[in-house]
Amino acid sequence: MQLCHTFLATAIFQKREVSCLQQKIDYAQLGYNIKKLRQTKGLTQDNLAELIGCNTSHISNIENNYTKLSLNALLAIANSLDTSVDFLLSSQYENKSLALDNEIARALNRLDVENKERLLRIIHVL
């Protein structure tokens, strides 16, 4: 009986591992998330390109899903937009809450005490 349970657990684990590896990054959604955050920060494509050291056309191609971005570019963009890679990819996670929790914590760390108190009052109203 133990052998049967072990075999079943191994089969389930292997199926989940293959399933995870077959998951594709939605580059259109990632590009949209980058564009939305860039615009929220008041940056142009030129500004972002200058910050990460690439051509403006590359930023445009990323945002419009004409090219896939490298991990280096993704990290540079996240750093330039003062966010995390997690947040940029959060819409693609099975557990979106974890990435959002991290982004909220990052935003809270940037606030002064007065604004933290103001935010806490808002949260209590919600």
Side-chain angles (χ1 to χ4, degrees):
M1 188 66 151
Q2 180 64 28
L3 182 60
C4 183
H5 288 297
T6 303
F7 177 76
L8 181 59
T10 302
I12 291 170
F13 177 75
Q14 287 174 344
K15 182 177 180 183
R16 180 165 170 80
E17 185 176 326
V18 169
S19 173
C20 289
L21 292 176
Q22 291 174 346
Q23 186 174 357
K24 303 286 185 207
I25 292 175
D26 183 347
Y27 286 96
Q29 182 64 51
L30 178 57
Y32 173 78
N33 292 347
I34 291 168
K35 179 179 183 176
K36 188 170 70 171
L37 188 56
R38 174 184 58 77
Q39 290 173 335
T40 299
K41 301 272 184 179
L43 296 173
T44 65
Q45 288 180 343
D46 287 331
N47 299 142
L48 184 56
E50 186 175 323
L51 286 170
I52 70 166
C54 74
N55 296 325
T56 304
S57 61
H58 189 55
I59 298 298
S60 177
N61 287 337
I62 290 169
E63 291 182 352
N64 293 297
N65 194 29
Y66 295 131
T67 190
K68 295 178 180 178
L69 69 161
S70 68
L71 289 175
N72 289 339
L74 180 58
L75 183 58
I77 289 170
N79 285 333
S80 295
L81 295 176
D82 195 27
T83 192
S84 67
V85 171
D86 274 351
F87 184 73
L88 293 174
L89 291 169
S90 64
S91 61
Q92 300 181 50
Y93 287 172
E94 289 179 16
N95 182 357
K96 297 176 186 179
S97 179
L98 192 59
L100 293 174
D101 289 348
N102 289 334
E103 191 65 17
I104 290 168
R106 286 171 56 96
L108 281 173
N109 285 331
R110 291 189 296 263
L111 294 178
D112 60 23
V113 174
E114 183 180 319
N115 282 322
K116 285 180 182 178
E117 290 171 348
R118 191 175 297 147
L119 182 60
L120 186 58
R121 286 192 299 272
I122 292 169
I123 290 171
H124 286 302
V125 169
L126 297 175

